[in-house]
Amino acid sequence: QKEVEQNSGPLSVPEGAIASLNCTYSDRVSQSFFWYRQYSGKSPELIMSIYSNGDKEDGRFTAQLNKASQYVSLLIRDSQPSDSATYLCAVNPTAGNQFYFGTGTSLTVIP
Amino acid sequence: GAVVSQHPSWVICKSGTSVKIECRSLDFQATTMFWYRQFPKQSLMLMATSNEGSKATYEQGVEKDKFLINHASLTLSTLTVTSAHPEDSSFYICSAREPGQETQYFGPGTRLLVL
């Protein structure tokens, strides 16, 4: 079983819609969770981190964490064509250690 | 956010030569840096964890004698691909972490093409 799993997509949403990206992880004691965006040919850039159960909002982005279900998601409101990218979920099982990355979900926002 | 740079951004070399890639944390000191490799259409693959002042920790299947990592200062880690071959052609990306923090900040990456 992979440590972090994501639906590879591709996920297509119309401009202005809400894009929902999901991620599950296997290590129940994981403490830190991160969402990165990677444009084609570029390196990942941090979108958000989340550490506690519940929702965390930053502009059009909302991260949701449910540790009991071992599930973390990213919602993108009012999706824009510029949001078209691959979104990587990363989990840090133990503070100070390496991240486990999912394979990423490819999102296309259709104008 | 923290800024991480990489140099060079592109490198083309002949098979058998060695290539050095630098990763710098520009506005913070990074006791730990990570080196990743990414092939087209694939996810990030962690190659090694670079710790300042000590030997790097390599992931299973990564040859430490082929991919030499040196983390000589708190702001610089280098990856040297020795005797590069065409199958080493890839996108190499480093990341750095601030002391006491968990977030990894990525450099812009280095594209290596071995002819």
Side-chain angles (χ1 to χ4, degrees):
Chain A
Q1 182 184 4
K2 293 183 180 177
E3 288 84 0
V4 180
E5 297 207 38
Q6 294 182 254
N7 186 331
S8 62
L11 173 66
S12 295
V13 300
E15 184 174 356
I18 296 175
S20 177
L21 306 163
N22 304 316
C23 173
T24 57
Y25 59 94
S26 60
D27 191 334
R28 182 170 291 278
V29 300
S30 296
Q31 297 296 317
S32 316
F33 307 87
F34 304 83
W35 282 100
Y36 288 85
R37 176 175 62 197
Q38 186 175 23
Y39 290 113
S40 180
K42 302 294 185 180
S43 67
E45 55 180 322
L46 179 70
I47 298 176
M48 291 184 71
S49 60
I50 185 167
Y51 303 92
S52 303
N53 278 326
D55 294 0
K56 178 180 179 182
E57 187 175 316
D58 183 359
R60 296 187 295 112
F61 299 96
T62 299
Q64 299 175 318
L65 175 61
N66 184 325
K67 291 186 179 180
S69 299
Q70 295 174 236
Y71 176 94
V72 57
S73 65
L74 180 69
L75 300 178
I76 306 174
R77 290 183 301 281
D78 188 24
S79 295
Q80 301 297 308
S82 58
D83 294 327
S84 297
T86 296
Y87 289 80
L88 300 171
C89 171
V91 175
N92 189 359
T94 308
N97 275 1
Q98 60 166 288
F99 284 3
Y100 290 106
F101 281 90
T103 54
T105 297
S106 175
L107 171 67
T108 299
V109 180
I110 303 168
Chain B
V3 180
V4 178
S5 70
Q6 274 184 252
H7 177 80
S9 55
W10 267 99
V11 59
I12 301 174
C13 69
K14 293 181 178 180
S15 184
T17 60
S18 294
V19 174
K20 179 185 283 188
I21 303 171
E22 293 185 348
C23 177
R24 292 181 185 274
S25 55
L26 297 185
D27 52 359
F28 66 100
Q29 293 182 330
T31 53
T32 304
M33 292 183 174
F34 302 88
W35 287 97
Y36 295 85
R37 181 167 54 181
Q38 188 174 38
F39 293 106
K41 306 291 186 184
Q42 295 187 22
S43 187
L44 293 171
M45 291 173 46
L46 180 66
M47 299 176 67
T49 301
S50 171
N51 298 298
E52 188 269 336
S54 64
K55 292 183 179 180
T57 303
Y58 290 82
E59 294 301 299
Q60 190 173 8
V62 178
E63 299 174 58
K64 62 179 180 180
D65 295 329
K66 179 171 181 64
F67 299 98
L68 301 178
I69 292 173
N70 186 306
H71 194 154
S73 79
L74 287 171
T75 59
L76 173 64
S77 175
T78 61
L79 168 67
T80 301
V81 183
T82 62
S83 187
H85 288 94
E87 58 266 30
D88 298 323
S89 300
S90 189
F91 190 36
Y92 291 85
I93 313 171
C94 72
S95 71
R97 188 172 62 199
E98 296 182 83
Q101 303 296 318
E102 297 184 51
T103 302
Q104 290 185 31
Y105 296 95
F106 285 87
T110 297
R111 291 205 178 278
L112 171 62
L113 176 61
V114 185
L115 301 177

